[in-house]
Amino acid sequence: MASFFSVPSPIVAFNAHFPLKTYPYIKPLNKSPVTAPTLWIQPPPATSQPVDNLLSSDVECLKWQAYLALRGLKHLRLRWDIAPEGAIDGALPNLHVPIAEALVKDEKLAKSDGAEDGELLAAHSIPAWVDAKLGVDSSADPLEGYKDQASRVESRAWVSLLEGVVHAALLISKPPPSYLHSLLFPSSTPPISESLQKILSAPPAPLTGLLSFLPPTGARINTASILSQYRDAIASLSDRLGTDNWFLGSAEPTPLDALAFAYLHCILESSDTVRIEVTRRVNLVAWEWRVRCLVREGFKQ
Amino acid sequence: MDESLPSPSLILHVWPGQWGLPSFDPLCLAAVLYLQIAIPGKFSLKECSNPDASPSGQLPFLVHDQHVSTSFESIVKYVSGLRESDYEKYEHANLDITLNATQRSKRVAWFAHAESHLADLVYHNIYANVDNWSNVTLPALAAIFPVPQKYYVPRRMRDSYFPRLEASGLWKSVVEEEKPTEKPFPRDVRPAEKKKLSNDASLSLAFDKEKTLTRARAELDIYAELIGDQPYTFGQRVSSLDVLIAAHVLLLIYPLFPDTLLKDLLIQSYPSLVALSRRVHAVAFESGNPDIMLAPAASSLWALLPSWPGRQKPAPKDSNAPEDIHYTHMRWGFVGLAVGSLLAYLVLVGRQYTVTWQVAGAEGEVEEEEETLEETTA
């Protein structure tokens, strides 16, 4: 059949003037194969001390850093040159692991073309990866590492306190960037009022008033009430910790400890209004310092 | 009998009552229950449909003489503090007085959890669920507001809860409804198209119900474990945390919604939570004095314009204080002195002058009235 329809020779002669040239494959310049598990995080604060501080300025990234370190993993790498838009779901942190340690164990995948790129895991897959690496099964423990069932239930309340009021106080204490700065460097994060609408218990009223004819814009954020609730939250956190090693009297560090450390560290790096509440509580400061040394161990090069 | 009693100076402003409960908002209902248990008969309730009147733009808020507290936590704190300031009058104002330090710190954490997780379930039931919204909530809300607002404010209120419920997974952003496809050329014969799963509204609704049920079970399990076998969360006495939990549970079981998913789940699987909420309701309303209602606020078209925050009329001063009476007397005395001295001056100086006016066309002179203005040479 193919010989039935052949290209007429004048056209072949014409096409011979335009030969098809194939160029060799161009490898990307700054790509290096991943050799160790690398956590992609937001960069550490520029003004932090000591200068070789490896702890992220973002609460979410720091929470996962602390989680990895407190579960006993060592020699993990960090990189902070990747924008959040380049991560899975548009949110850092992500964990980049070599193909040998990937969650998906497949021989064919290990030998395929992009194998040296490894696998990129979103934040919610990190616990499963850690379990696989350490060879333990977290779901087998009904108490999830807590002392007893009552502590496990109580930990939910502390998580929602930290992610609610304390997070809101952190958000409002950040100084907003100047107008010029926001024009020149548009930020990819949503404005504070939107994040606060999701966190606060009652949705904040619009600036133009709920009942007015004007379309609702803006949000009336009651800073004084948020700060007063924050003070109560820190006081109760300090009372609950007391002199224990880990929160709720657990024997080993739990995810609640990682979350608490992330928030305490970010508070201590932020402005005075929120910082002063934590610095008043000696046990919280001491606990944060101790856990900070532990977390740094996990990321030492 | 009631005319002799002065009206209480503690006024709590809440959203109006619905479905047999004093308020349809969980935090407002919790505030009413707390005040009714802590200081029965010493406060009055005002049903307010204008949240812009509050200093923070949200209800509930409490006004006590010159002090205003907004948000449920600050109301609880303030009322508990009344016990220290005036022990005889507000002896039982602090429901958490028997808690130790650990329990107090746990209470703060549980407050945060209840206000985010339990409240998500309540708001989902009231606002997000389409059946409940269109059949029950929207007519109820529209009845609360006066004429111009009733057409746009309920929708606004519903939209304000959307970001939070979407973030917690209890409100699907787009409900795709099948539009009947109109064929431009009806005589064309086309093969029947397979209905795509993603466009099937009824199927996606069924999945959403499953998701909501799983989510609700996870949250309510936590509270069932917290309460356990005890009558209340922290032992034998009702505390502010019980009031908060009960307010949310009451709003899940009392209203007569067409979609009874959460109500059935609670009644069948979580009898301890239902019992706790009924116990708290009984303590609040079946013992002690009934609360005193104020007249509802008159609606006005001024509410349409955006209001400056903090423009609240000051409480009417009762001038029973002796200093006030003295001050009033002195003030009027001073005014009287000024006017009297002016009159005296006029009389003294005016002796030199006489006033003449001629009544036009009056032939019969009335001698007493006619005076002539003449300058007497001094």
Side-chain angles (χ1 to χ4, degrees):
Chain A
M1 198 73 140
S3 57
F4 205 86
F5 303 103
S6 59
V7 185
S9 47
I11 296 182
V12 170
F14 182 70
N15 284 347
H17 290 290
F18 308 102
L20 183 68
K21 200 164 176 192
T22 311
Y23 289 92
Y25 178 64
I26 302 174
K27 285 207 177 299
L29 286 171
N30 53 1
K31 191 171 97 159
S32 52
V34 56
T35 48
T38 313
L39 189 67
W40 295 1
I41 56 170
Q42 297 269 9
T47 53
S48 70
Q49 299 150 355
V51 184
D52 60 342
N53 185 23
L54 296 171
L55 301 177
S56 171
S57 56
D58 177 45
V59 175
E60 188 70 21
C61 299
L62 185 55
K63 172 177 97 176
W64 286 108
Q65 261 188 297
Y67 176 80
L68 288 168
L70 289 175
R71 282 203 70 177
L73 294 169
K74 299 236 185 276
H75 304 300
L76 296 163
R77 298 263 171 81
L78 292 170
R79 81 185 273 197
W80 47 76
D81 55 344
I82 300 192
E85 288 85 3
I88 298 179
D89 292 337
L92 290 171
N94 285 149
L95 188 64
H96 192 190
V97 298
I99 200 75
E101 300 181 34
L103 269 182
V104 177
K105 300 252 186 279
D106 195 349
E107 285 298 322
K108 276 189 242 171
L109 209 60
K111 292 186 195 124
S112 64
D113 218 354
E116 72 271 10
D117 290 340
E119 191 190 6
L120 191 63
L121 299 170
H124 54 82
S125 318
I126 293 180
W129 178 80
V130 177
D131 282 346
K133 183 148 168 109
L134 295 176
V136 297
D137 186 9
S138 307
S139 52
D141 179 16
L143 292 177
E144 293 173 17
Y146 295 101
K147 192 172 67 173
D148 54 13
Q149 180 69 354
S151 299
R152 187 186 80 93
V153 166
E154 198 189 327
S155 69
R156 306 282 187 266
W158 288 107
V159 167
S160 64
L161 180 73
L162 285 169
E163 287 180 349
V165 172
V166 178
H167 194 86
L170 254 184
L171 280 178
I172 61 174
S173 70
K174 275 201 193 91
S178 67
Y179 187 58
L180 189 64
H181 191 270
S182 60
L183 278 180
L184 293 174
F185 308 108
S187 154
S188 56
T189 52
I192 289 186
S193 58
E194 272 188 39
S195 329
L196 278 178
Q197 269 187 325
K198 297 178 195 161
I199 297 173
L200 294 177
S201 57
L207 274 173
T208 45
L210 188 70
L211 301 185
S212 72
F213 263 152
L214 301 173
T217 45
R220 280 171 73 174
I221 297 165
N222 194 351
T223 317
S225 112
I226 294 179
L227 286 177
S228 134
Q229 288 179 16
Y230 163 76
R231 265 177 236 123
D232 290 340
I234 295 294
S236 51
L237 200 68
S238 165
D239 286 339
R240 195 69 184 91
L241 177 64
T243 49
D244 296 339
N245 255 350
W246 302 109
F247 269 99
L248 306 179
S250 319
E252 296 293 324
T254 50
L256 174 63
D257 296 302
L259 186 67
F261 166 72
Y263 276 106
L264 286 175
H265 186 81
C266 288
I267 290 171
L268 287 170
E269 299 271 337
S270 70
S271 73
D272 276 340
T273 37
V274 292
R275 190 168 181 271
I276 204 166
E277 288 305 318
V278 175
T279 51
R280 276 195 191 135
R281 319 275 166 187
V282 181
N283 61 344
L284 286 179
V285 175
W287 185 84
E288 190 267 340
W289 186 84
R290 187 172 63 88
V291 178
R292 197 189 330 158
C293 299
L294 284 174
V295 173
R296 282 226 190 96
E297 293 284 312
F299 291 98
K300 232 188 249 187
Q301 304 302 327
Chain B
M1 185 168 61
D2 276 335
E3 285 91 10
S4 58
L5 291 170
S7 71
S9 52
L10 260 170
I11 306 175
L12 181 68
H13 300 245
V14 292
W15 283 108
Q18 289 286 335
W19 312 307
L21 293 169
S23 181
F24 68 82
D25 180 66
L27 291 175
C28 294
L29 178 59
V32 174
L33 287 174
Y34 186 86
L35 288 191
Q36 183 65 7
I37 297 177
I39 46 172
K42 301 192 182 82
F43 74 100
S44 50
L45 192 66
K46 185 162 179 184
E47 292 194 338
C48 176
S49 62
N50 183 9
D52 297 331
S54 152
S56 68
Q58 292 163 340
L59 294 170
F61 70 101
L62 178 78
V63 177
H64 185 203
D65 291 334
Q66 305 301 326
H67 179 91
V68 180
S69 313
T70 57
S71 92
F72 176 64
E73 280 95 356
S74 48
I75 291 178
V76 167
K77 249 200 208 169
Y78 181 76
V79 173
S80 311
L82 286 175
R83 187 176 184 270
E84 267 90 58
S85 60
D86 193 349
Y87 185 75
E88 291 95 28
K89 198 171 170 197
Y90 301 112
E91 196 184 325
H92 302 288
N94 191 352
L95 293 182
D96 301 327
I97 195 101
T98 51
L99 300 180
N100 59 25
T102 316
Q103 285 174 326
R104 269 182 235 265
S105 53
K106 283 190 202 174
R107 181 196 73 117
V108 174
W110 282 111
F111 258 49
H113 191 271
E115 280 182 12
S116 58
H117 293 247
L118 265 190
D120 276 348
L121 292 178
V122 174
Y123 292 138
H124 167 87
N125 215 20
I126 297 179
Y127 293 106
N129 192 314
V130 179
D131 287 331
N132 296 350
W133 167 255
S134 30
N135 296 336
V136 178
T137 318
L138 183 57
L141 282 181
I144 290 170
F145 295 106
V147 160
Q149 284 101 336
K150 66 163 68 185
Y151 298 114
Y152 58 90
V153 177
R155 179 97 217 165
R156 261 191 209 173
M157 283 173 64
R158 187 185 193 218
D159 292 340
S160 66
Y161 288 103
F162 176 70
R164 174 196 169 147
L165 288 178
E166 191 199 20
S168 63
L170 282 169
W171 192 336
K172 205 172 135 189
S173 49
V174 176
V175 175
E176 307 209 356
E177 281 169 18
E178 277 222 351
K179 282 190 213 156
T181 47
E182 286 178 9
K183 295 188 205 160
F185 304 103
R187 279 197 236 157
D188 283 352
V189 175
R190 276 196 216 155
E193 287 179 3
K194 260 201 283 185
K195 228 161 95 165
K196 286 191 213 154
L197 221 68
S198 57
N199 287 344
D200 191 349
S202 58
L203 210 58
S204 67
L205 276 176
F207 277 130
D208 286 341
K209 278 201 170 172
E210 260 315 304
K211 217 163 65 160
T212 313
L213 207 56
T214 329
R215 184 68 204 279
R217 275 217 189 91
E219 305 298 340
L220 295 172
D221 279 340
I222 294 177
Y223 283 96
E225 289 199 31
L226 173 69
I227 295 171
D229 297 327
Q230 302 169 89
Y232 297 108
T233 330
F234 291 122
Q236 305 297 323
R237 288 192 54 174
V238 63
S239 65
S240 48
L241 180 60
D242 299 306
V243 169
L244 188 65
I245 297 176
H248 288 89
V249 174
L250 285 172
L251 276 171
L252 284 172
I253 54 178
Y254 265 56
L256 299 166
F257 284 129
D259 186 357
T260 54
L261 182 74
L262 291 177
K263 182 173 170 176
D264 294 336
L265 174 69
L266 264 171
I267 292 178
Q268 286 160 13
S269 314
Y270 300 98
S272 55
L273 282 176
V274 176
L276 169 78
S277 62
R278 289 200 208 274
R279 224 174 279 136
V280 171
H281 190 263
V283 170
F285 292 114
E286 285 155 29
S287 56
N289 305 332
D291 48 22
I292 305 160
M293 306 281 288
L294 277 184
S299 65
S300 82
L301 283 173
W302 286 112
L304 288 174
L305 300 172
S307 62
W308 296 108
R311 192 218 272 176
Q312 245 197 315
K313 290 200 198 120
K317 294 184 279 225
D318 48 347
S319 52
N320 291 336
E323 293 95 6
D324 287 338
I325 300 172
H326 177 69
Y327 180 74
T328 321
H329 284 168
M330 292 304 283
R331 185 172 2 130
W332 286 113
F334 186 76
V335 172
L337 185 65
V339 172
S341 52
L342 176 67
L343 287 176
Y345 171 77
L346 285 176
V347 164
L348 284 173
V349 168
R351 282 226 185 104
Q352 307 170 27
Y353 302 97
T354 45
V355 177
T356 316
W357 62 82
Q358 273 132 6
V359 181
E363 306 284 281
E365 303 91 9
V366 180
E367 283 164 13
E368 289 119 14
E369 289 186 22
E370 209 175 272
E371 297 166 69
T372 42
L373 173 67
E374 289 162 9
E375 267 199 35
T376 55
T377 50

